[in-house]
Amino acid sequence: MPKNRFVEVLAVGKTLAEKVWDAHVVRRGEGEPDLLYIDLHLLHEVTSPQAFDGLRLAQRPVRRTDLTLATEDHNVPTTPGPISDPISLTQVETLRRNCEEFGIKLYPMGDAEQGIVHVVGPQLGLTQPGMTVVCGDSHTSTHGAFGALAFGIGTSEVEHVLATQTLPLKPFRTMAVTVEGELPAGVTSKDIVLAVIAKIGTGGGQGYVLEYRGSAIRSLSMEARMTVCNMSIEAGARAGMIAPDETTFAYLEGRDHAPRGEDWDAAVAAWRELRTDDDAEFDAEVVLDAASLTPFVTWGTNPGQGAPLGDSVPDPAQMEDSERQAAERALEYMGLVAGTPLRAIPVDTVFVGSCTNGRIEDLRAAADVVKGRRVADGVRMLVVPGSARVRLQAEAEGLDAVFTEAGAEWRLPGCSMCLAMNPDKLAPGERSASTSNRNFEGRQGKGGRTHLVSPLVAAATAVRGTLSSPSDLQPLSAATAGHATQEA
Amino acid sequence: MEAFTTHTGIGVPLRRSNVDTDQIIPAEYLKRVTKSGFEDGLFAAWRGDETFVLNDPTYAAGSVLVAGPDFGTGSSREHAVWALMNYGFRVVISSRFADIFRGNSSKAGLLAAQCSQDDVELLWKLLENEPGTSVTVDLESRTVTAGDLTAPFQVDDYARWRLLEGLDDISLTLRHEGDVTAYEKTRPSWKPVTL
C-alpha cells in the first residue's frame, strides 16, 4: 500500500489487503494517516479498563455499541467455581461494570457464548470477509482467515475505537506467503505457520499484512486457516489474511450473525470480489513447499526458534553472530544442550487449547491420538476448549470422555495456560508441549519452559512423555482400539 | 498527553534482542485497572538476577533505554509502555521495534527512537565503558547525543508531530466526525451487528 497510488489507479491491480483497506477509508489527508472505519471491535477484561476510564474522564460515549462485543477470557479459571484471585476478580468485575454503563454486549463466565474472544467472534458468524476487526489483543490476526483485515491494538487505540469507531493508520505493506502442494499426513496448519516464522523470523513480517495463498492454504478448513492467521503476529506482521472462498462461505452460512436470504446473496456476491487481482504486486513474497514440511516444534524462547521435530537442538556456535547470543541465552533458559534430538526432550505438562488451537477440530485431532492410549506417567495433560460452545460440542461427541479416560484433565473454556493469568501455570523449570502461540520466557509461568507444537504433536507427546508425533506411537491393536480404558 | 521535545537522562544499555512484551511486563502484572503502578512489574523476571542492568545503582535514575533489535514483540499490551514510563523511562532506542509497541508508545508519550544497529552498538559500548553517561534525545532534530557520539534516529513524521505538540488522537479524529457519519451511511445493511 505504500506504492504510488497514482500509478495504482492507472494500471496495477490491488491485493486483497488493499481492497479491504480502501473500502474502509473514511478520510485521507495529505501527510496524515488514513482514517479507517472499524466494522467490529472485540473487548476483553485485560486491555479495556483504562480505555473506559479515558472515556469517562472526557465524558465521551461509545459511538457504536452495536459493533462492539466483550467476553471474559484471560483471567477466568478453568475449574468450576468463582475467581479466587481478588485482583483478577476486580478486573473482570470492572469489565462487567463498564459494559453495563456503556451499553455493550458481554458474554460473562458461565454464559453459553463465553470463550476466548478470537474463538467467539468467528463461531457467532460475526467475523465476515472484507471486514475490519480490531481488539486489544495481538492475536486478533486470527480473524484474517475469513479475508477480514484484523489486527491487535493497544489500550489507547481501544479507547479511540470506542469513541470514534475509527483508527488513524498508516497503510501496511503486503507480503505473499505462498504454500503450494499437498501437506504430508500428520502435518497441520500449525506446522505451516511455525515453519513460516522460523523462515522469516520474529521481525520478518514487521509492517506487513501477510496474505497466505497457494493450494495448500486453499485446502485448509476454516479452523486450520484461523491457526495460520493467528500466529502472523509472531512473525511481527500486523495481520494475516486468506482470500474467502467456498470453504469460507460454507462455514459462515446459517451462523447466528451471518446475513440471511437476499442479504446472504448480496454479501456472497461482494465477498467473491475479495481476492488479490492477477496483476497486483506484493511488496515481498515468501514461498514454501507444503510437501517438504514436517511436524515442527520450537526449541527456544521466541516463536522463530523452531525446527522440524526430526532435528536436534541446534548449536549456537554454528549460527551467525546476530543470532548466536540469543540462541545461547535461549538454550540456557530452556535447559537444553545442543545436539540433543528434539524427540528425546521429556515434558512435564501438555497444554491443548488457546486461540491458536482451542477449536473443535483441534480437540478432535488430539482426541483421535490419545483414544485408547494413556497419558505417560508423570505427565499432566490439560485440555481447555476455546469456548463454551466448543466445550459443549466436544462433550456431545464424547471427546471429554476420551481425554479423561486417557488421564487428561478436561477443563472449562478460557485463555488458561497460554499466558498464565489464571491459576493454570507452569512451575519454575517445568517444561511443556503447548498448542499455544508464544514460548517467551515465563509466558506460561515464571521459569516455565515452553515448546510450541500442533495438537497432534501435543497429544502424541502426552502419550510418550517426550516430544513426539503420532507416527512415533505404537499402533493400537484391534483388541485395545475399541476399549479406550485399556492401556495401549 | 505531555509534549516531548528533547530529553536528557542516564542511558541504560540492555544488550538483548527480541525483548518481548512478556519480558517487559509479565501477564501476572496486567491485572491493575489503572495506568499507574506498573513499575513493579517492569522486567520482573530479569530483575531477580542481581547482574541485571537495572539492579546496578548507577542506572537507578536511568530514563533512556538502549536495547537490541525487535524490541516490544508479542502481546499488544500497552501496559508494557506504561511500565517503562512508570519506572521513569521517556525514551527507548532500538534498531527495530515491533509495530504495535511503537504505536502504543506514540499514543502514551514514550519516544521509540529507531537508530541503526551500528549506532546502538556504539551506544552500548559508551554506556558500558562509562556507566551513568547521559544521553540527549532531540525530537526536533531527530538526533541522539552521548559523549562524542551523535547519531540520527528515525521516527514516523505524524507520530513526531503529535509528540511535539502533545496532541491526543481522539480529539483530532473527532474534528472529522462528519466524515465518519457520512461513511457510516455507505456501509452495506447486511454488515453484522452485535446487539
Side-chain angles (χ1 to χ4, degrees):
Chain A
M1 272 168 280
K3 282 181 291 222
N4 183 326
R5 287 190 173 275
F6 181 65
V7 173
E8 195 178 305
V9 169
L10 282 180
V12 184
K14 289 182 185 177
T15 62
L16 166 62
E18 288 164 338
K19 287 182 182 181
V20 179
W21 181 285
D22 288 350
H24 289 84
V25 174
V26 168
R27 185 175 182 282
R28 181 169 281 164
E30 186 66 33
E32 293 175 29
D34 285 353
L35 191 62
L36 221 61
Y37 198 79
I38 303 302
D39 289 320
L40 178 64
H41 186 194
L42 302 168
L43 299 168
H44 61 71
E45 74 273 17
V46 182
T47 55
S48 64
Q50 296 85 356
F52 283 110
D53 265 354
L55 291 183
R56 264 188 294 269
L57 273 172
Q59 296 185 306
R60 289 172 177 145
V62 173
R63 181 177 178 90
R64 293 295 299 263
T65 54
D66 60 333
L67 304 183
T68 312
L69 180 72
T71 177
E72 299 168 1
D73 55 10
H74 283 61
N75 281 278
V76 303
T78 57
T79 48
I83 298 176
S84 56
D85 176 356
I87 317 174
S88 285
L89 183 62
T90 300
Q91 195 163 58
V92 167
E93 286 177 340
T94 303
L95 179 68
R96 291 176 188 172
R97 273 201 309 277
N98 285 330
C99 287
E100 189 171 347
E101 179 183 340
F102 287 90
I104 291 166
K105 180 79 181 167
L106 167 71
Y107 293 126
M109 273 169 61
D111 191 281
E113 297 299 348
Q114 179 267 342
I116 306 175
V117 66
H118 309 307
V119 178
V120 169
Q123 75 185 8
L124 285 169
L126 277 169
T127 304
Q128 297 175 13
M131 288 172 62
T132 46
V133 181
V134 299
C135 174
D137 193 289
S138 59
H139 292 111
T140 309
S141 57
T142 311
H143 307 263
F146 292 81
L149 182 61
F151 49 92
I153 57 178
T155 299
S156 293
E157 290 172 310
V158 170
E159 183 181 341
H160 195 285
V161 178
L162 287 171
T164 70
Q165 204 58 32
T166 64
L167 272 180
L169 288 165
K170 280 181 67 174
F172 308 141
R173 291 174 292 175
T174 58
M175 183 189 294
V177 178
T178 307
V179 192
E180 295 285 1
E182 201 171 325
L183 285 175
V187 180
T188 68
S189 64
K190 182 66 164 283
D191 304 304
I192 294 178
V193 72
L194 285 173
V196 168
I197 299 162
K199 189 177 173 91
I200 70 174
T202 54
Q206 200 212 349
Y208 289 100
V209 177
L210 311 185
E211 183 186 330
Y212 301 94
R213 307 151 58 80
S215 56
I217 299 297
R218 285 195 298 275
S219 71
L220 297 175
S221 69
M222 284 316 295
E223 304 212 337
R225 292 179 189 188
M226 284 189 250
T227 302
V228 173
C229 289
N230 171 276
M231 288 193 68
S232 304
I233 179 69
E234 311 315 336
R238 282 315 303 260
M241 298 178 88
I242 296 173
D245 59 11
E246 298 306 322
T247 303
T248 321
F249 309 149
Y251 176 96
L252 276 168
E253 191 166 15
R255 293 200 179 253
D256 303 39
H257 290 270
R260 291 175 196 282
E262 287 178 14
D263 280 348
W264 172 258
D265 297 337
V268 171
W271 296 342
R272 287 192 195 283
E273 303 298 315
L274 295 170
R275 48 179 294 280
T276 292
D277 294 328
D278 292 340
D279 58 345
E281 287 174 13
F282 289 93
D283 298 304
E285 179 162 19
V286 174
V287 179
L288 266 81
D289 171 19
S292 71
L293 295 175
T294 68
F296 215 86
V297 302
T298 60
W299 49 265
T301 53
N302 73 57
Q305 291 175 323
L309 177 61
D311 284 8
S312 296
V313 175
D315 184 358
Q318 311 285 327
M319 295 182 184
E320 290 177 26
D321 288 356
S322 59
E323 292 178 10
R324 188 185 309 123
Q325 198 186 17
E328 283 169 353
R329 195 188 293 280
L331 293 191
E332 188 188 338
Y333 179 86
M334 292 295 288
L336 293 174
V337 176
T340 308
L342 292 168
R343 278 194 162 88
I345 297 173
V347 305
D348 307 294
T349 292
V350 171
F351 172 62
V352 175
S354 84
C355 60
T356 311
N357 282 126
R359 287 171 286 269
I360 189 69
E361 285 180 13
D362 302 312
L363 303 192
R364 285 179 191 143
D368 210 39
V369 175
V370 301
K371 187 169 188 177
R373 297 187 163 105
R374 291 286 302 171
V375 173
D377 287 345
V379 174
R380 160 176 73 145
M381 183 183 191
L382 249 64
V383 185
V384 182
S387 70
R389 271 204 203 191
V390 171
R391 178 167 176 260
L392 290 176
Q393 172 77 29
E395 289 177 356
E397 296 178 17
L399 304 186
D400 57 325
V402 171
F403 287 119
T404 53
E405 284 169 15
E409 296 176 39
W410 177 245
R411 296 293 189 88
L412 299 174
C415 298
S416 180
M417 197 183 271
C418 175
L419 86 167
M421 276 191 84
N422 78 345
D424 307 334
K425 293 182 199 321
L426 294 182
E430 214 181 327
R431 185 183 301 281
S432 77
S434 176
T435 67
S436 55
N437 41 58
R438 287 187 176 136
N439 52 342
F440 297 152
E441 290 179 25
R443 170 78 176 183
Q444 296 190 291
K446 194 173 178 182
R449 295 160 167 168
T450 303
H451 297 274
L452 300 178
V453 300
S454 72
L456 290 176
V457 170
T461 300
V463 172
R464 275 187 82 222
T466 59
L467 293 177
S468 305
S469 71
S471 63
D472 298 324
L473 301 180
Q474 297 275 343
L476 293 175
S477 70
T480 55
H483 301 280
T485 49
Q486 291 183 21
E487 206 165 298
Chain B
M1 186 173 71
E2 200 182 329
F4 187 114
T5 48
T6 182
H7 173 79
T8 299
I10 291 174
V12 180
L14 181 63
R15 268 193 191 267
R16 296 200 190 211
S17 59
N18 268 293
V19 178
D20 59 74
T21 53
D22 274 79
Q23 303 317 314
I24 299 172
I25 185 161
E28 63 185 294
Y29 292 92
L30 305 185
K31 298 177 183 181
R32 280 196 189 85
V33 295
T34 59
K35 287 188 186 182
S36 58
F38 290 102
E39 63 273 19
D40 291 351
L42 182 70
F43 299 123
W46 293 348
R47 275 158 82 183
D49 169 3
E50 60 184 35
T51 66
F52 181 60
V53 63
L54 286 187
N55 290 332
D56 182 338
T58 317
Y59 301 112
S63 60
V64 179
L65 187 67
V66 185
D70 294 315
F71 189 88
T73 54
S75 159
S76 65
R77 59 188 71 163
E78 197 162 318
H79 312 66
V81 173
W82 302 330
L84 285 161
M85 296 185 78
N86 292 165
Y87 187 87
F89 287 106
R90 290 300 319 272
V91 182
V92 180
I93 294 171
S94 168
S95 60
R96 197 160 59 191
F97 289 97
D99 287 320
I100 301 178
F101 179 86
R102 186 183 14 224
N104 288 344
S105 296
S106 80
K107 311 281 177 191
L110 178 75
L111 176 59
Q114 188 175 325
C115 286
S116 72
Q117 185 58 30
D118 287 346
D119 285 333
V120 168
E121 300 275 352
L122 291 173
L123 280 166
W124 278 342
K125 276 188 196 133
L126 178 70
L127 298 174
E128 284 164 356
N129 291 339
E130 297 172 50
T133 299
S134 277
V135 178
T136 296
V137 182
D138 185 344
L139 185 56
E140 292 273 12
S141 64
R142 300 182 213 220
T143 52
V144 176
T145 312
D148 295 334
L149 175 73
T150 299
F153 69 83
Q154 291 178 14
V155 61
D156 171 72
D157 286 338
Y158 187 74
R160 174 173 171 269
W161 171 68
R162 284 180 47 260
L163 278 166
L164 286 170
E165 301 288 328
L167 293 171
D168 97 271
D169 266 346
I170 297 177
S171 47
L172 287 174
T173 296
L174 287 174
R175 293 180 194 171
H176 307 299
E177 202 174 356
D179 292 337
V180 180
T181 304
Y183 178 88
E184 283 175 329
K185 293 195 173 118
T186 69
R187 297 178 75 236
S189 60
W190 46 261
K191 290 254 185 179
V193 292
T194 57
L195 296 177

